[in-house]
Amino acid sequence: SAAAFFTLVTSTACTMLSRVSKGLARPGSRLLSGAAGSEKLAMVGSGNFGSALVRILGQNALRHDIFDNEVKLYVYEEMIDGKPLTEIINETNENVKYLKGAKFTPNVKAVPDLAEAVKGATMVCFCLPHQFLKPLMPTIKESVAPGAKVLSAIKGIDFDDNGVVLISDLLRQGLNADCSVLMGANVANDMASDQFCETTIGYKDAKNGELFKLAFDAPALKVGTVPDTVGVELCGALKNIVAIGAGYSDGLGYGGNTK
């Protein structure tokens, strides 16, 4: 929809200036030993963008009392110089393969077992190539807390014999859960260095949308919300097609009007 598109591609200048002028807040204001909150966060996917997002989730889990301190990150296990990647992440608080140089807060725990990573989670975020999603969902459905809500940060769409299939619909049907959507023109490496950017969460359930906003909104990441998951999801996928076209235009030496 026009509202979703407008929210997705614009940010409020006043908010930007206000947040920048205040400076970046500390990564987490609550001690690791603090009381656990009622909402337990998990991230499925540990690539470049997934790692940038879970870095923010870790900070906000400590910042807001409603969240449990620990944030689990499902990592497809790989060996790096003879050592498991999950072990390296947990020892160094850094995904040295996919987001080198960006430190997680110590409450982010990398887990190679999917069932263990999402066990008891009430809020599960997804950021992985969509072709790997379907085989994971039965295990996730069995392991999450009853009534868990989910969020897709997966850019792209799927197809079946009837046409376009939205990733959020795959998650809703596969997990029998409410699904919000996070999309934006966000570069993971910029996010990891706390360069200011904006993103949009589309929701169907307003309460869940606000919870996910609380989980991701940070001094360097302005989160807007809109009650339109379809519009946000399609904008997130289609903007990449527009970007390719813009690149062709630049490469051919055309001007701004052509682009």
Side-chain angles (χ1 to χ4, degrees), residues 47-48 51-52 55 94-102 104 188-189 192:
N48 188 234
S51 295
R55 179 174 174 269
E94 180 182 342
N95 189 336
V96 297
K97 180 169 183 180
Y98 294 106
L99 200 64
K100 191 174 180 63
F104 301 147
N189 290 339

Side-chain angles (χ1 to χ4, degrees), residues 17-68:
L17 291 173
S18 173
R19 286 176 178 244
V20 171
S21 67
K22 291 177 182 176
L24 298 179
R26 289 175 296 158
S29 58
R30 184 154 53 105
L31 296 176
L32 292 176
S33 59
S38 59
E39 298 291 345
K40 187 171 180 62
L41 294 161
M43 170 66 76
V44 178
S46 58
N48 188 234
F49 191 43
S51 295
L53 289 175
V54 82
R55 179 174 174 269
I56 296 171
L57 290 179
Q59 295 171 5
N60 281 342
L62 300 179
R63 191 174 281 134
H64 302 296
D65 289 339
I66 193 172
F67 300 122
D68 187 271

